[in-house]
Amino acid sequence: MVSTVETPLESPAAYPYSGCTFPADERRYRKQRLAAAFRVFSKYGFDEGVAGHITARDPEQTDCFWVNPFGVDFGRIRVKDLLLVDPAGQVIEGNGQVNQAAYAIHSAVHRARPDVIAAAHSHSLYGKAFSTLGRTLDPITQDHCDFYRDHALYDGFRGVVLDREEGDRIATALGGTKAAILRNHGLLTVGQTVEEAAWWFIRMERCCHVTLLAEAAGTPITIDDEAAAQVYSQSGSNVAGWYTFQPLYQQITEAEPDLLDE
Ligand SMILES: [Zn+2]
């Protein structure tokens, strides 16, 4: 008699980046990366006063997102401090207030872009300075090519973003791209993961810095279309953005393990 040993096929992970199978695990994964992203933004000095927000879509209540509580220092945020906000802007989990600008911008982006799991915005110094020029980034270094034909300009500053219409205009300007330069305001980046949105923000802020340095010194040479597209295909992808954040996550969770407190 021949016996056979059946090996059950492993069910494919429901969530490709985290490898999580269940929504509850995916929620924890996203909240851990979100808290870590705030700590990393603090290290980079992206916070200024109470401005700035990063959001992560909830894996089950997909029209709701997790966000930082208004008025809490990025450098102190823990998993347990994060708030879940519903489509009406109400906090339905967690203790604290949501910044109305965070709600207006991020709810519009999450609504317009089902592919977007996370979005990041702050008033970082060089992004804010570059935003006053009212134009997009040229591919002047290899790193700039991550945004080659994949970012937009929101050219309509109308004051603090507090209403749905203004959020919708920003989401429309963003279109299908990974980032928008909000004129006279700052940067906005998005991703299929928290890691990706956070990494593009860091990358874009530094590209703005480099552009300002280079243009202050002379006339930068622009990379040709073919080379820019080639670089973009390598380091500008969703996976590349996710992957590039991993060392930062390792670093911050080792240095500041309390960020994972639930
Ligand atoms: Zn802002």
Side-chain angles (χ1 to χ4, degrees):
M1 184 180 168
V2 179
S3 66
T4 57
V5 178
E6 289 193 9
T7 307
L9 286 173
E10 281 190 28
S11 58
Y15 301 98
Y17 289 97
S18 63
C20 294
T21 305
F22 301 106
D25 296 333
E26 176 67 10
R27 179 177 298 110
R28 173 181 281 174
Y29 178 96
R30 290 182 190 179
K31 289 171 73 178
Q32 289 175 338
R33 271 69 193 170
L34 188 55
F38 285 114
R39 299 292 184 105
V40 171
F41 274 33
S42 175
K43 291 276 181 219
Y44 277 91
F46 294 165
D47 45 353
E48 185 162 324
V50 295
H53 7 90
I54 314 172
T55 54
R57 190 189 296 277
D58 188 76
E60 282 184 297
Q61 296 171 271
T62 55
D63 55 353
C64 301
F65 56 80
W66 295 91
V67 67
N68 50 309
F70 193 32
V72 177
D73 175 33
F74 282 10
R76 303 171 70 93
I77 290 177
R78 300 160 298 182
V79 167
K80 66 180 177 184
D81 297 319
L82 300 170
L83 308 177
L84 183 63
V85 178
D86 75 6
Q90 300 302 309
V91 175
I92 57 173
E93 204 174 318
N95 298 309
Q97 288 186 317
V98 62
N99 179 344
Q100 281 310 299
Y103 166 67
I105 297 172
H106 291 249
S107 64
V109 169
H110 283 289
R111 195 165 50 240
R113 289 279 301 273
D115 63 308
V116 163
I117 297 300
H121 166 68
S122 89
H123 296 180
S124 57
L125 186 63
Y126 298 101
K128 189 163 51 181
F130 185 77
S131 79
T132 66
L133 304 178
R135 59 187 173 86
T136 53
L137 289 164
D138 293 328
I140 61 165
T141 72
Q142 178 174 315
D143 296 345
H144 283 69
C145 296
D146 289 356
F147 302 100
Y148 178 66
R149 293 181 177 167
D150 193 17
H151 72 295
L153 172 69
Y154 176 59
D155 200 17
F157 184 75
R158 291 178 176 83
V160 177
V161 183
L162 294 175
D163 57 52
R164 180 171 173 149
E165 290 72 27
E166 184 68 350
D168 286 340
R169 281 191 284 267
I170 289 172
T172 299
L174 176 68
T177 69
K178 64 158 70 92
I181 293 163
L182 313 180
R183 178 167 58 77
N184 303 108
H185 185 173
L187 308 179
L188 171 71
T189 59
V190 300
Q192 293 181 354
T193 54
V194 172
E195 297 94 313
E196 191 195 342
W199 172 248
W200 296 140
F201 195 96
I202 295 164
R203 177 71 107 192
M204 194 173 219
E205 166 71 2
R206 292 175 79 96
C207 286
C208 289
H209 191 172
V210 169
T211 296
L212 293 168
L213 286 173
E215 291 187 354
T219 305
I221 296 165
T222 302
I223 294 170
D224 68 62
D225 288 344
E226 192 179 342
Q230 190 268 351
V231 174
Y232 174 81
S233 70
Q234 294 292 306
S235 62
S237 68
N238 304 115
V239 173
W242 170 81
Y243 188 74
T244 311
F245 189 77
Q246 302 310 315
L248 295 170
Y249 185 77
Q250 293 156 16
Q251 209 173 59
I252 201 74
T253 50
E254 191 175 314
E256 303 179 20
D258 65 302
L259 75 89
L260 298 172
D261 289 354
E262 298 181 343

